[in-house]
Amino acid sequence: MDIKQYMEQLGQRARKASRAMARADSAARNRALTLIADAIERDADALRAANQLDMDAAAANGLEPAMLDRLALSDKAIATMIEGLRQIVALPDPIGEISGLKFRPTGIQVGQMRVPLGVIGIIYESRPNVTVDAAGLCIKSGNATILRGGSEAIHCNRALAKLVKEGLEGAGLPADGVQVVDTTDRAAVGALITMPQYVDVIVPRGGKSLIARLMAEATVPMIKHLDGICHVYIDGKADMKKAVDIGFNAKCHRYGTCNTMETLLVARSIAPAVLPQLAALYATKEVELRADPEAKAILAGYPHLVDATEEDWSTEYLAPILAVKVVEDMDEAMDHISAYSSKHTEAIITEDHSAAMRFLREVDSASVMINASTRFADGFEYGLGAEIGISNDKLHARGPVGLEGLTSLKYVVFGHGEVRQ
Amino acid sequence: MDIKQYMEQLGQRARKASRAMARADSAARNRALTLIADAIERDADALRAANQLDMDAAAANGLEPAMLDRLALSDKAIATMIEGLRQIVALPDPIGEISGLKFRPTGIQVGQMRVPLGVIGIIYESRPNVTVDAAGLCIKSGNATILRGGSEAIHCNRALAKLVKEGLEGAGLPADGVQVVDTTDRAAVGALITMPQYVDVIVPRGGKSLIARLMAEATVPMIKHLDGICHVYIDGKADMKKAVDIGFNAKCHRYGTCNTMETLLVARSIAPAVLPQLAALYATKEVELRADPEAKAILAGYPHLVDATEEDWSTEYLAPILAVKVVEDMDEAMDHISAYSSKHTEAIITEDHSAAMRFLREVDSASVMINASTRFADGFEYGLGAEIGISNDKLHARGPVGLEGLTSLKYVVFGHGEVRQ
């Protein structure tokens, strides 16, 4: 059987299972999640053994240490998976709510019901814990799912898939509700993203290059995350303490995350006061500052000071590097953001109410913040309870995507024999 | 200048204008709509003259009478355009509402603000009134738009574009907020649907073949409408009058609409009672019935009776033709729907509450109805006030799409200096 046929089979089974998943009640879906958590706890040794096979193969293939680190299934990773599933159990059921039910002049009652999307395809790289996180979110939201993990994690993913199926069956749900692609052939990905008849949406979890590759080929819609070129604008009316706290936190809390600030914009009137204070903090972390001429003049003497080039304004460093630019005012800051932002997250620091409200409304990014660190742009921090990813798209789901992003609203009509006149 | 460059220019102007459109307040957007309505009223003679140029050219090119009919800008069509704009003025502003604003344990307040999508591309066929309807909905929802009408309507669309620009400028909005593609070169469409940097979404309004063509090429996301293969299932516990009224209305109220019933499914226990009554009504309209063997036996003697073939179950007739099938029960009906429906609209006729609620939940279509005619699946009937189209997609907008479908939700965060711990 060739890969395309194999993937078609998975697709057909997923589509079939999706009907049973969608009609399963909350209790059955939560029961499956609990059984999976219990099975992982019980079979932790077997999972570690499977992971060791992957680790040995990866080491033999000369995988980089950073990749090996992501592939490893530590005791802590196992505990986190189990805890994650139990947290998903505790979340409210996103499915079945009917909203906005209103009578119309014709007599019919019209509302919208939240329902599963159907079949979700998830494509990810080495971390085996994604297998369990993603399966958990899809089960909770009543979707069937096809998981395609990194080929280097195949033994561990197979072992996890077995436990997930056991949990589904134990709760009376179809074992095909979650299927792990059991081949390392890369053609499987190409097939998965071009089966719109079987797959309703693809959620890629991985780096920019993975997603760019999928975008070029996919005919199934994607909820996709690209880069995070996030800005903080310190307004002329900013509170100095807030500006310094947030300017430092947004860059230095973590460097490798998509909601980390990559460019700092500072109003001309406040730049001479605030930049030296910030620089004193950045210096403790040896942050390299790539400054425009005006910022550079103010920062003269900073030990890691570099001229900003045009390229810096559109670079996601994911490193202790920050682009800094002095602007005349908020309008210039918003023009800069409009030109260079990846529309992920932007923040303004100001005590000026009217400026804050204009920034909030006019900046066209998935998250827009007043006097808060961009690092808060995250499903857990926003209270979504869980996060399947962060979307750079405007359609469907924008920003952090929780369970609701894996659902859609269908119209429901309650009639009493009405016909159209 | 080649077409690609020309379209890029339109795209750049639209992207620029979209910022001003998004920040315009309700009053300015409504003022523009009113000014456009006034200008159309004032210049009706000039519009008719422009339309006559299109009509003459179309007649000379041998356009079919049905197409000529759609192209004609009658007095009634002009009055409807004006009335349509004034109705859009009266709708609530979809933009700016902040929902779900909640404090988080960290101290930040998180909510979602409804904002315009940005730039909407609309691709449609001959009817010139779409130019005004679509422009009106995009202006109301704070979007910039690029309109690509049928080449046979170019004179009329040009004249309408002039009036739209006049209205925008009169309200202090950018004239580039609405741009009409001023070329009949078909390459313009190819360019429009592959400029994701300038266009956020494409709304095609036209037949299945137009949309299939766009789907194959587009890299910009689409809110698309495909076919409507709608089902009515008459359950064993149906009220006979409701079954007959709805079964007749869903097929015969209008034949050419996407929410018209194309397949009637009838429970075995009720078929001998209900089918002859329905047939008596269908006979008055000379509806051809394409029946499975069991239905055919019951309908013996009906003057327009044909054997259903496998192809009938997936055919959108848009004509006085109906496929009829007897099923054992609701489960068999739902299996049939799952296999053949285009997921547009399905209805159940029943007095059995549990069956009704199962059908409502388990049928995976954009609209699911109990005891109501499928013909109600429509933006106006649902109370959306206006309709840009009906979506067969599950992501973003599903079913009738009103102003809200032209918006997205961005996260807004109100902080007080909070940083991530």
Side-chain angles (χ1 to χ4, degrees), chain B residues 9-344:
Chain B
Q9 278 196 359
L10 291 197
Q12 283 162 4
R13 286 194 212 126
R15 180 59 79 206
K16 186 152 179 274
S18 72
R19 288 182 63 197
M21 296 296 288
R23 73 176 170 251
D25 59 22
S26 289
R29 284 178 274 128
N30 283 336
R31 177 91 186 122
L33 294 169
T34 302
L35 289 173
I36 297 165
D38 294 348
I40 293 172
E41 201 159 38
R42 184 196 67 208
D43 281 5
D45 286 344
L47 288 175
R48 272 185 288 261
N51 182 242
Q52 196 55 54
L53 292 177
D54 291 329
M55 295 291 285
D56 293 347
N61 288 332
L63 213 68
E64 288 172 34
M67 289 290 276
L68 280 175
D69 196 48
R70 295 175 67 189
L71 183 59
L73 195 67
S74 65
D75 290 354
K76 187 164 171 250
I78 292 176
T80 304
M81 283 196 297
I82 294 168
E83 176 59 20
L85 286 170
R86 293 188 174 145
Q87 281 173 4
I88 295 173
V89 170
L91 291 175
D93 186 355
I95 296 303
E97 186 189 11
I98 296 180
S99 54
L101 195 65
K102 287 195 182 87
F103 277 105
R104 297 289 306 147
T106 49
I108 61 171
Q109 239 179 323
V110 181
Q112 287 180 294
M113 182 190 281
R114 196 165 283 287
V115 293
L117 282 175
V119 178
I120 319 261
I122 311 218
I123 298 170
Y124 51 103
E125 294 168 335
S126 25
R127 294 178 209 260
N129 65 301
V130 175
T131 305
V132 169
D133 290 355
L137 291 170
C138 291
I139 292 170
K140 180 79 182 189
S141 54
N143 289 290
T145 181
I146 299 175
L147 300 169
R148 160 65 190 206
S151 54
E152 60 286 353
I154 186 84
H155 292 99
C156 191
N157 284 339
R158 250 178 219 153
L160 287 166
K162 205 176 129 276
L163 301 181
V164 169
K165 280 184 192 302
E166 180 190 321
L168 287 168
E169 287 180 326
L173 297 178
D176 290 336
V178 177
Q179 297 178 92
V180 169
V181 176
D182 197 1
T183 165
T184 58
D185 191 324
R186 290 183 74 176
V189 171
L192 184 60
I193 63 176
T194 51
M195 309 195 296
Q197 67 278 36
Y198 302 126
V199 183
D200 293 297
V201 64
I202 295 285
V203 183
R205 292 179 59 157
K208 221 168 132 174
S209 63
L210 168 73
I211 290 161
R213 189 155 49 82
L214 297 180
M215 276 174 72
E217 286 176 48
T219 56
V220 176
M222 275 200 273
I223 295 177
K224 61 182 181 292
H225 173 67
L226 288 164
D227 43 1
I229 301 172
C230 302
H231 297 73
V232 172
Y233 164 61
I234 300 178
D235 185 54
K237 300 270 176 61
D239 174 274
M240 195 64 66
K241 181 171 185 325
K242 289 176 189 165
V244 172
D245 287 352
I246 293 169
F248 182 58
N249 183 264
K251 181 71 236 179
C252 298
H253 182 255
R254 268 180 75 185
Y255 299 116
T257 45
C258 58
N259 54 19
T260 296
M261 165 176 65
E262 304 292 13
T263 299
L264 175 67
L265 302 170
V266 188
R268 182 160 292 132
S269 61
I270 204 171
V274 76
L275 279 179
Q277 288 193 43
L278 269 167
L281 292 174
Y282 292 143
T284 66
K285 302 282 182 183
E286 299 184 359
V287 174
E288 179 179 309
L289 299 180
R290 302 200 180 169
D292 80 322
E294 212 174 326
K296 201 181 169 207
I298 297 169
L299 291 163
Y302 183 80
H304 320 283
L305 191 58
V306 176
D307 286 320
T309 63
E310 174 65 21
E311 209 190 324
D312 282 302
W313 310 127
S314 45
T315 300
E316 186 182 26
Y317 302 115
L318 301 171
I321 304 172
L322 177 68
V324 185
K325 183 179 167 70
V326 172
V327 294
E328 171 56 30
D329 55 14
M330 188 174 75
D331 281 300
E332 193 185 334
M334 292 199 299
D335 284 343
H336 182 98
I337 289 169
S338 173
Y340 297 106
S341 165
S342 67
K343 298 180 185 297
H344 187 295

Side-chain angles (χ1 to χ4, degrees), chain A residues 177-399:
Chain A
V178 177
Q179 297 177 91
V180 168
V181 176
D182 196 2
T183 165
T184 57
D185 191 323
R186 290 184 73 176
V189 172
L192 184 61
I193 63 176
T194 52
M195 309 194 296
Q197 67 277 36
Y198 303 125
V199 183
D200 293 296
V201 65
I202 295 284
V203 183
R205 293 179 59 156
K208 223 168 131 173
S209 64
L210 168 73
I211 289 161
R213 189 155 49 83
L214 298 179
M215 276 173 72
E217 286 176 48
T219 56
V220 176
M222 276 200 272
I223 296 177
K224 61 183 182 291
H225 173 67
L226 288 164
D227 44 359
I229 301 173
C230 303
H231 296 74
V232 172
Y233 164 61
I234 300 178
D235 185 55
K237 301 271 175 61
D239 173 274
M240 194 65 65
K241 181 171 184 326
K242 290 176 189 165
V244 172
D245 287 352
I246 293 169
F248 182 58
N249 184 265
K251 181 72 237 179
C252 298
H253 182 255
R254 268 180 73 185
Y255 298 117
T257 45
C258 57
N259 55 17
T260 296
M261 166 176 64
E262 303 292 13
T263 299
L264 174 68
L265 302 169
V266 187
R268 182 160 293 132
S269 61
I270 204 172
V274 77
L275 280 179
Q277 288 193 43
L278 268 168
L281 292 174
Y282 292 143
T284 65
K285 302 281 183 184
E286 297 183 4
V287 175
E288 178 177 308
L289 298 179
R290 302 201 181 168
D292 80 322
E294 212 173 326
K296 201 182 168 205
I298 296 168
L299 290 164
Y302 183 79
H304 320 282
L305 192 58
V306 176
D307 286 321
T309 64
E310 175 65 21
E311 211 190 322
D312 282 303
W313 310 127
S314 46
T315 300
E316 185 182 26
Y317 301 115
L318 301 172
I321 304 173
L322 177 68
V324 186
K325 184 179 165 71
V326 171
V327 293
E328 172 56 29
D329 55 15
M330 187 173 77
D331 282 300
E332 193 186 334
M334 292 199 299
D335 285 342
H336 181 97
I337 289 169
S338 173
Y340 297 105
S341 164
S342 66
K343 300 180 184 298
H344 186 298
T345 300
E346 332 295 338
I348 185 174
I349 317 301
T350 190
E351 297 301 305
D352 179 335
H353 177 71
S354 299
M357 296 310 283
R358 265 195 66 205
F359 189 88
L360 201 71
R361 171 145 185 200
E362 295 181 22
V363 171
D364 182 30
S365 295
S367 291
V368 187
M369 305 184 166
I370 303 169
N371 294 334
S373 171
T374 54
R375 285 282 296 133
F376 283 111
D378 171 295
F380 292 90
E381 293 296 332
Y382 282 2
L384 304 184
E387 185 181 283
I388 190 90
I390 295 187
S391 161
N392 281 58
D393 296 313
K394 285 185 177 183
L395 294 191
H396 192 63
R398 194 171 186 186

